[in-house]
Amino acid sequence: MEFTRPRGTRDFLFEEMRERKQAESTLRKVFESYGYQEIKTPLFEELKLFTTKSGEEIVDQLYNFKDKSDRDLTLRPEITAPVARLYLNELEKTSSKPIKLYYYGSCFRYERPQKGRFRQFWQFGCELIGAKTPQGEAEVIALCSDAIQSLGITTADVNINHLGIIRGLFKHFEISTETQREIMVVIDKGDKDLLIESLSGDEPVIDNDELNQILLRLIDLVGDKSIIADVEELIAPYDEPKESLEELKELIELLEAFKVSNYTLNLGVARGLDYYTGIVFEIYVPELGAQKQICGGGSYSLVKIFGGQEVESTGFALGFDRLMNAVEELTDKEELPPYLDVYVAPISKDVRLKAFEITQDLRKQGIKVDVDLNAKKFKKLMNYADKIKVPKMVIIGAKDLEENKVTVKDMTSGNQELVDIENIADYLKEE
């Protein structure tokens, strides 16, 4: 009988896990430097949490099931909705705002696996709840940019838009909510040909040629802050989107204050879900090709959909797996530090119990130690220590023990020294 891992999942072995843990630790430091605290939500939630957020059609993409009490549950496909649920359950009535929280965990989607897309994947993200905009949005974008750069990724490009501009145009032309949703989904896909067909084909989604032509010109505007003048000219006859454009201009000024320069204004960035209301952004690493998007975020009004009070919220989720692809693609691979500080080598049967005692004493003092458990010959112990690149060996022999000493060998220089047993930890820490 042969067992294989489920399709769309992966096994991570020792070195890859160490690389991922190192990246995770780096990201945590950046998030916490901005005052964010970590939270954790369950791997599974009630199914209705996600259908309320994204519509019944999302069920086809979920690992959903009934438990033994016939409740409809699902493995979480993302973590923003669970965070909103947590906020309503635990924080809405008790916490001062703004609330800064971050999370790291695995998510599950039943999709066709392909390069950079798996059925189990990891997200590292944050939510800023109750901060005034656009200053809150500017800080969130700065955090996201800093987090990516902390991993040595220098080519990431933050693409920013304000959905209020498009939604203002929809309001002016009295476009129905259903039609708005349909066209925003098309814009979100980033397929220019599909959008052109949707707006100017034989059966356009929007039956208004004036608006269709404005939208086609608008989403083509991509560049630095100089394109603001083009946006102003395009929407000049319409009052409804102008307030959102002013917010976008203010955000640009704030980004300069937050020292963010790697951004592009991209009026084609969108979100296909109604609760995204203001600034949205996506981050691309061009070298990753078709899977270049490593992050999506923006301001949203989700808590209200779940029955809470309206509260301004901004967040983003980094695709951790694609981040690791970018690290591998774009950065020089650094040699990871040894996973052990010391290897303890008893060289005869009669010293093994003392070797185990010494090993435990060192571990209790915060030193990462392994000890021979297989009674190997000394030559094999040396070869093994070389193979795992441990910095130090503690060699325990019967004659040395008679003097209450052990030999500490530096595996890089080859130097070795007799050290009193009670001083081993201090000696190793000084080294």
Side-chain angles (χ1 to χ4, degrees):
M1 182 180 293
E2 182 181 356
F3 296 98
T4 59
R5 65 177 183 265
R7 187 166 183 248
T9 64
R10 292 157 292 165
D11 296 315
F12 300 109
L13 293 180
F14 308 123
E15 185 172 355
E16 189 170 5
M17 273 307 303
R18 290 169 66 205
E19 291 170 350
R20 289 171 73 92
K21 293 291 286 185
Q22 188 175 61
E24 177 188 338
S25 177
T26 299
L27 291 174
R28 288 182 192 280
K29 289 177 182 177
V30 177
F31 278 65
E32 290 172 10
S33 76
Y34 276 73
Y36 283 73
Q37 299 182 79
E38 187 175 13
I39 54 96
K40 192 76 74 177
T41 66
L43 280 175
F44 60 91
E45 298 269 1
E46 292 185 352
L47 176 62
K48 65 182 180 181
L49 182 72
F50 298 102
T51 56
T52 299
K53 172 180 180 280
S54 302
E56 292 293 335
E57 59 271 17
I58 196 177
V59 173
D60 290 340
Q61 303 172 34
L62 301 181
Y63 279 93
N64 59 299
F65 56 95
K66 286 186 180 290
D67 70 4
K68 293 180 180 180
S69 295
D70 207 36
R71 287 175 288 237
D72 286 311
L73 303 174
T74 184
L75 298 180
R76 64 189 184 194
E78 45 87 9
I79 306 181
T80 299
V83 167
R85 193 261 314 143
L86 176 148
Y87 168 77
L88 282 168
N89 292 165
E90 311 289 348
L91 300 173
E92 183 178 36
K93 297 178 181 178
T94 60
S95 296
S96 300
K97 295 180 180 61
I99 301 169
K100 292 183 170 184
L101 54 87
Y102 78 91
Y103 56 81
Y104 173 66
S106 56
C107 303
F108 305 84
R109 282 183 183 262
Y110 191 80
E111 296 181 315
R112 184 172 66 86
Q114 53 185 292
K115 183 178 180 181
R117 188 183 295 273
F118 302 93
R119 289 179 172 174
Q120 182 183 11
F121 55 95
W122 278 259
Q123 287 188 344
F124 207 121
C126 74
E127 308 297 338
L128 175 62
I129 301 172
K132 296 296 183 184
T133 56
Q135 52 263 41
E137 294 161 332
E139 189 187 69
V140 165
I141 292 172
L143 164 59
C144 191
S145 178
D146 284 351
I148 293 168
Q149 291 184 31
S150 74
L151 298 177
I153 302 168
T154 59
T155 59
D157 182 22
V158 186
N159 282 245
I160 302 170
N161 188 18
H162 194 310
L163 291 185
I165 297 171
I166 291 178
R167 295 199 186 279
L169 290 168
F170 287 153
K171 183 178 180 181
H172 178 85
F173 287 94
E174 299 180 342
I175 304 302
S176 70
T177 300
E178 183 179 345
T179 302
Q180 288 187 41
R181 186 178 297 122
E182 185 175 352
I183 201 65
M184 291 298 281
V185 167
V186 175
I187 295 173
D188 187 28
K189 289 181 178 179
D191 186 332
K192 184 69 178 298
D193 291 336
L194 177 61
L195 182 63
I196 292 172
E197 176 64 25
S198 298
L199 293 177
S200 59
D202 294 335
E203 297 182 5
V205 174
I206 297 175
D207 187 21
N208 187 304
D209 188 60
E210 181 182 354
L211 175 58
N212 289 340
Q213 294 307 311
I214 294 169
L215 291 176
L216 287 172
R217 291 173 60 193
L218 189 67
I219 66 158
D220 251 356
L221 293 175
V222 180
D224 59 23
K225 59 185 179 182
S226 65
I227 71 167
I228 290 293
D230 298 319
V231 181
E232 286 179 321
E233 181 180 352
L234 196 56
I235 68 171
Y238 319 106
D239 292 333
E240 290 85 349
K242 290 179 180 176
E243 182 178 349
S244 297
L245 179 58
E246 290 304 311
E247 289 180 0
L248 181 58
K249 289 161 69 175
E250 185 178 353
L251 176 71
I252 293 168
E253 293 180 359
L254 287 161
L255 288 176
E256 292 177 2
F258 277 100
K259 301 186 182 303
V260 178
S261 57
N262 59 323
Y263 70 87
T264 298
L265 298 182
N266 184 344
L267 278 292
V269 171
R271 287 286 183 272
L273 298 167
D274 295 343
Y275 56 81
Y276 281 98
T277 55
I279 295 293
V280 292
F281 61 94
E282 295 177 348
I283 300 186
Y284 309 133
V285 175
E287 291 83 354
L288 296 183
Q291 305 297 333
K292 67 179 180 178
Q293 184 180 334
I294 61 171
C295 177
S299 292
Y300 59 87
S301 180
L302 185 57
V303 170
K304 187 177 180 181
I305 293 176
F306 292 154
Q309 297 295 315
E310 182 74 60
V311 60
E312 295 169 297
S313 304
T314 304
F316 65 83
L318 292 161
F320 188 76
D321 304 282
R322 291 188 187 178
L323 269 183
M324 294 308 299
N325 291 343
V327 169
E328 183 177 356
E329 184 79 22
L330 299 174
T331 65
D332 294 329
K333 189 168 185 177
E334 297 181 9
E335 187 172 344
L336 293 170
Y339 71 95
L340 288 175
D341 299 319
V342 179
Y343 186 68
V344 175
I347 61 175
S348 61
K349 182 178 179 180
D350 56 334
V351 301
R352 295 183 65 75
L353 293 179
K354 191 62 179 180
F356 299 150
E357 289 179 18
I358 291 171
T359 297
Q360 288 303 94
D361 288 340
L362 293 176
R363 286 169 174 166
K364 288 176 181 178
Q365 297 194 58
I367 297 171
K368 293 180 288 186
V369 189
D370 199 2
V371 62
D372 172 46
L373 298 174
N374 286 349
K376 294 177 182 175
K377 299 293 186 182
F378 183 66
K379 184 177 181 181
K380 288 189 175 180
L381 293 177
M382 291 294 296
N383 289 340
Y384 180 71
D386 279 332
K387 182 179 179 180
I388 65 175
K389 298 180 180 180
V390 67
K392 298 283 192 301
M393 279 186 75
V394 172
I395 303 168
I396 300 176
K399 288 186 179 180
D400 290 345
L401 283 183
E402 290 176 3
E403 300 178 16
N404 209 35
K405 294 179 184 291
V406 295
T407 297
V408 178
K409 182 179 179 68
D410 186 309
M411 297 301 290
T412 302
S413 67
N415 296 333
Q416 56 187 49
E417 188 172 341
L418 279 173
V419 178
D420 291 335
I421 288 176
E422 60 268 25
N423 294 332
I424 301 174
D426 290 338
Y427 178 85
L428 291 171
K429 289 178 180 179
E430 287 174 3
E431 291 286 306

mmCIF file of all heavy atoms in Angstrom, residues 156-178:
data_model
loop_
_atom_site.group_PDB
_atom_site.id
_atom_site.type_symbol
_atom_site.label_atom_id
_atom_site.label_comp_id
_atom_site.label_asym_id
_atom_site.label_seq_id
_atom_site.Cartn_x
_atom_site.Cartn_y
_atom_site.Cartn_z
ATOM 1 N N ALA A 156 9.884 44.972 -5.893
ATOM 2 C CA ALA A 156 8.427 44.981 -5.700
ATOM 3 C C ALA A 156 7.848 46.354 -6.032
ATOM 4 O O ALA A 156 8.408 47.387 -5.667
ATOM 5 C CB ALA A 156 8.090 44.603 -4.262
ATOM 6 N N ASP A 157 6.721 46.343 -6.719
ATOM 7 C CA ASP A 157 6.065 47.573 -7.174
ATOM 8 C C ASP A 157 4.655 47.617 -6.587
ATOM 9 O O ASP A 157 3.834 46.736 -6.856
ATOM 10 C CB ASP A 157 6.010 47.581 -8.708
ATOM 11 C CG ASP A 157 5.375 48.845 -9.260
ATOM 12 O OD1 ASP A 157 5.351 49.874 -8.550
ATOM 13 O OD2 ASP A 157 4.894 48.806 -10.408
ATOM 14 N N VAL A 158 4.375 48.647 -5.784
ATOM 15 C CA VAL A 158 3.073 48.801 -5.134
ATOM 16 C C VAL A 158 2.137 49.546 -6.081
ATOM 17 O O VAL A 158 2.364 50.723 -6.378
ATOM 18 C CB VAL A 158 3.195 49.574 -3.809
ATOM 19 C CG1 VAL A 158 1.841 49.594 -3.081
ATOM 20 C CG2 VAL A 158 4.262 48.957 -2.914
ATOM 21 N N ASN A 159 1.109 48.887 -6.577
ATOM 22 C CA ASN A 159 0.149 49.498 -7.503
ATOM 23 C C ASN A 159 -1.092 49.921 -6.728
ATOM 24 O O ASN A 159 -1.748 49.093 -6.094
ATOM 25 C CB ASN A 159 -0.218 48.515 -8.606
ATOM 26 C CG ASN A 159 0.849 48.419 -9.668
ATOM 27 O OD1 ASN A 159 0.642 48.775 -10.825
ATOM 28 N ND2 ASN A 159 2.028 47.921 -9.282
ATOM 29 N N ILE A 160 -1.431 51.227 -6.801
ATOM 30 C CA ILE A 160 -2.448 51.809 -5.923
ATOM 31 C C ILE A 160 -3.573 52.434 -6.751
ATOM 32 O O ILE A 160 -3.335 53.068 -7.782
ATOM 33 C CB ILE A 160 -1.817 52.888 -5.018
ATOM 34 C CG1 ILE A 160 -0.686 52.278 -4.181
ATOM 35 C CG2 ILE A 160 -2.866 53.531 -4.105
ATOM 36 C CD1 ILE A 160 0.139 53.320 -3.435
ATOM 37 N N ASN A 161 -4.795 52.284 -6.251
ATOM 38 C CA ASN A 161 -5.958 52.926 -6.862
ATOM 39 C C ASN A 161 -6.921 53.323 -5.748
ATOM 40 O O ASN A 161 -6.783 52.894 -4.605
ATOM 41 C CB ASN A 161 -6.640 51.965 -7.843
ATOM 42 C CG ASN A 161 -7.737 52.626 -8.654
ATOM 43 O OD1 ASN A 161 -7.803 53.855 -8.752
ATOM 44 N ND2 ASN A 161 -8.618 51.828 -9.224
ATOM 45 N N HIS A 162 -7.882 54.155 -6.087
ATOM 46 C CA HIS A 162 -8.975 54.490 -5.167
ATOM 47 C C HIS A 162 -10.275 54.120 -5.859
ATOM 48 O O HIS A 162 -10.659 54.733 -6.862
ATOM 49 C CB HIS A 162 -8.962 55.986 -4.824
ATOM 50 C CG HIS A 162 -9.820 56.335 -3.645
ATOM 51 N ND1 HIS A 162 -11.129 55.919 -3.514
ATOM 52 C CD2 HIS A 162 -9.552 57.058 -2.521
ATOM 53 C CE1 HIS A 162 -11.633 56.374 -2.380
ATOM 54 N NE2 HIS A 162 -10.695 57.057 -1.751
ATOM 55 N N LEU A 163 -10.944 53.083 -5.334
ATOM 56 C CA LEU A 163 -12.161 52.593 -5.976
ATOM 57 C C LEU A 163 -13.294 53.610 -5.936
ATOM 58 O O LEU A 163 -14.255 53.505 -6.705
ATOM 59 C CB LEU A 163 -12.620 51.294 -5.302
ATOM 60 C CG LEU A 163 -11.740 50.074 -5.520
ATOM 61 C CD1 LEU A 163 -12.382 48.853 -4.890
ATOM 62 C CD2 LEU A 163 -11.493 49.837 -6.997
ATOM 63 N N GLY A 164 -13.192 54.589 -5.042
ATOM 64 C CA GLY A 164 -14.224 55.615 -4.973
ATOM 65 C C GLY A 164 -14.361 56.405 -6.259
ATOM 66 O O GLY A 164 -15.427 56.976 -6.544
ATOM 67 N N ILE A 165 -13.294 56.453 -7.057
ATOM 68 C CA ILE A 165 -13.355 57.173 -8.329
ATOM 69 C C ILE A 165 -14.315 56.458 -9.282
ATOM 70 O O ILE A 165 -15.240 57.063 -9.851
ATOM 71 C CB ILE A 165 -11.946 57.302 -8.946
ATOM 72 C CG1 ILE A 165 -11.045 58.137 -8.019
ATOM 73 C CG2 ILE A 165 -12.020 57.922 -10.340
ATOM 74 C CD1 ILE A 165 -9.587 58.146 -8.427
ATOM 75 N N ILE A 166 -14.111 55.145 -9.445
ATOM 76 C CA ILE A 166 -15.006 54.377 -10.314
ATOM 77 C C ILE A 166 -16.417 54.321 -9.734
ATOM 78 O O ILE A 166 -17.411 54.506 -10.448
ATOM 79 C CB ILE A 166 -14.448 52.953 -10.534
ATOM 80 C CG1 ILE A 166 -13.180 53.018 -11.379
ATOM 81 C CG2 ILE A 166 -15.491 52.059 -11.209
ATOM 82 C CD1 ILE A 166 -12.524 51.667 -11.612
ATOM 83 N N ARG A 167 -16.516 54.100 -8.424
ATOM 84 C CA ARG A 167 -17.841 54.002 -7.808
ATOM 85 C C ARG A 167 -18.593 55.342 -7.895
ATOM 86 O O ARG A 167 -19.821 55.370 -8.000
ATOM 87 C CB ARG A 167 -17.714 53.524 -6.366
ATOM 88 C CG ARG A 167 -17.175 52.098 -6.252
ATOM 89 C CD ARG A 167 -17.469 51.485 -4.901
ATOM 90 N NE ARG A 167 -16.826 50.184 -4.742
ATOM 91 C CZ ARG A 167 -17.287 49.043 -5.221
ATOM 92 N NH1 ARG A 167 -18.399 49.043 -5.946
ATOM 93 N NH2 ARG A 167 -16.648 47.897 -5.011
ATOM 94 N N GLY A 168 -17.844 56.450 -7.842
ATOM 95 C CA GLY A 168 -18.471 57.758 -8.015
ATOM 96 C C GLY A 168 -19.064 57.918 -9.403
ATOM 97 O O GLY A 168 -20.162 58.474 -9.569
ATOM 98 N N LEU A 169 -18.348 57.415 -10.395
ATOM 99 C CA LEU A 169 -18.876 57.448 -11.764
ATOM 100 C C LEU A 169 -20.111 56.569 -11.879
ATOM 101 O O LEU A 169 -21.106 56.942 -12.520
ATOM 102 C CB LEU A 169 -17.799 56.997 -12.749
ATOM 103 C CG LEU A 169 -16.625 57.966 -12.949
ATOM 104 C CD1 LEU A 169 -15.491 57.287 -13.705
ATOM 105 C CD2 LEU A 169 -17.080 59.221 -13.681
ATOM 106 N N PHE A 170 -20.067 55.395 -11.260
ATOM 107 C CA PHE A 170 -21.248 54.524 -11.265
ATOM 108 C C PHE A 170 -22.450 55.246 -10.660
ATOM 109 O O PHE A 170 -23.576 55.164 -11.162
ATOM 110 C CB PHE A 170 -20.972 53.248 -10.469
ATOM 111 C CG PHE A 170 -20.059 52.266 -11.157
ATOM 112 C CD1 PHE A 170 -19.288 51.380 -10.419
ATOM 113 C CD2 PHE A 170 -19.982 52.207 -12.536
ATOM 114 C CE1 PHE A 170 -18.460 50.462 -11.034
ATOM 115 C CE2 PHE A 170 -19.139 51.300 -13.176
ATOM 116 C CZ PHE A 170 -18.372 50.425 -12.416
ATOM 117 N N LYS A 171 -22.199 55.959 -9.566
ATOM 118 C CA LYS A 171 -23.292 56.674 -8.902
ATOM 119 C C LYS A 171 -23.863 57.762 -9.810
ATOM 120 O O LYS A 171 -25.084 57.925 -9.911
ATOM 121 C CB LYS A 171 -22.788 57.278 -7.597
ATOM 122 C CG LYS A 171 -23.864 57.989 -6.785
ATOM 123 C CD LYS A 171 -23.301 58.512 -5.477
ATOM 124 C CE LYS A 171 -24.383 59.220 -4.656
ATOM 125 N NZ LYS A 171 -23.828 59.754 -3.375
ATOM 126 N N HIS A 172 -22.974 58.509 -10.469
ATOM 127 C CA HIS A 172 -23.436 59.584 -11.338
ATOM 128 C C HIS A 172 -24.324 59.042 -12.461
ATOM 129 O O HIS A 172 -25.353 59.647 -12.785
ATOM 130 C CB HIS A 172 -22.246 60.330 -11.944
ATOM 131 C CG HIS A 172 -22.645 61.413 -12.893
ATOM 132 N ND1 HIS A 172 -22.968 62.690 -12.475
ATOM 133 C CD2 HIS A 172 -22.804 61.418 -14.256
ATOM 134 C CE1 HIS A 172 -23.314 63.425 -13.519
ATOM 135 N NE2 HIS A 172 -23.209 62.666 -14.616
ATOM 136 N N PHE A 173 -23.913 57.915 -13.026
ATOM 137 C CA PHE A 173 -24.653 57.359 -14.158
ATOM 138 C C PHE A 173 -25.747 56.382 -13.715
ATOM 139 O O PHE A 173 -26.358 55.728 -14.558
ATOM 140 C CB PHE A 173 -23.685 56.676 -15.136
ATOM 141 C CG PHE A 173 -22.858 57.650 -15.933
ATOM 142 C CD1 PHE A 173 -21.588 58.021 -15.511
ATOM 143 C CD2 PHE A 173 -23.354 58.221 -17.097
ATOM 144 C CE1 PHE A 173 -20.815 58.912 -16.237
ATOM 145 C CE2 PHE A 173 -22.600 59.108 -17.840
ATOM 146 C CZ PHE A 173 -21.326 59.464 -17.409
ATOM 147 N N GLU A 174 -25.964 56.297 -12.410
ATOM 148 C CA GLU A 174 -27.049 55.495 -11.837
ATOM 149 C C GLU A 174 -26.991 54.035 -12.297
ATOM 150 O O GLU A 174 -27.970 53.456 -12.757
ATOM 151 C CB GLU A 174 -28.414 56.108 -12.187
ATOM 152 C CG GLU A 174 -28.574 57.527 -11.635
ATOM 153 C CD GLU A 174 -29.924 58.137 -11.984
ATOM 154 O OE1 GLU A 174 -30.584 57.626 -12.924
ATOM 155 O OE2 GLU A 174 -30.332 59.104 -11.312
ATOM 156 N N ILE A 175 -25.802 53.457 -12.147
ATOM 157 C CA ILE A 175 -25.603 52.056 -12.520
ATOM 158 C C ILE A 175 -26.034 51.165 -11.358
ATOM 159 O O ILE A 175 -25.677 51.409 -10.207
ATOM 160 C CB ILE A 175 -24.120 51.797 -12.871
ATOM 161 C CG1 ILE A 175 -23.664 52.755 -13.981
ATOM 162 C CG2 ILE A 175 -23.914 50.349 -13.275
ATOM 163 C CD1 ILE A 175 -24.462 52.664 -15.258
ATOM 164 N N SER A 176 -26.786 50.136 -11.651
ATOM 165 C CA SER A 176 -27.314 49.269 -10.604
ATOM 166 C C SER A 176 -26.184 48.539 -9.873
ATOM 167 O O SER A 176 -25.090 48.329 -10.426
ATOM 168 C CB SER A 176 -28.272 48.240 -11.196
ATOM 169 O OG SER A 176 -27.564 47.290 -11.977
ATOM 170 N N THR A 177 -26.451 48.134 -8.631
ATOM 171 C CA THR A 177 -25.460 47.422 -7.827
ATOM 172 C C THR A 177 -25.023 46.139 -8.514
ATOM 173 O O THR A 177 -23.825 45.799 -8.531
ATOM 174 C CB THR A 177 -26.041 47.101 -6.435
ATOM 175 O OG1 THR A 177 -26.395 48.318 -5.786
ATOM 176 C CG2 THR A 177 -25.032 46.349 -5.583
ATOM 177 N N GLU A 178 -25.968 45.426 -9.083
ATOM 178 C CA GLU A 178 -25.646 44.164 -9.754
ATOM 179 C C GLU A 178 -24.708 44.387 -10.945
ATOM 180 O O GLU A 178 -23.734 43.651 -11.144
ATOM 181 C CB GLU A 178 -26.930 43.483 -10.220
ATOM 182 C CG GLU A 178 -26.695 42.128 -10.869
ATOM 183 C CD GLU A 178 -27.989 41.450 -11.296
ATOM 184 O OE1 GLU A 178 -29.073 41.885 -10.842
ATOM 185 O OE2 GLU A 178 -27.910 40.488 -12.074
#
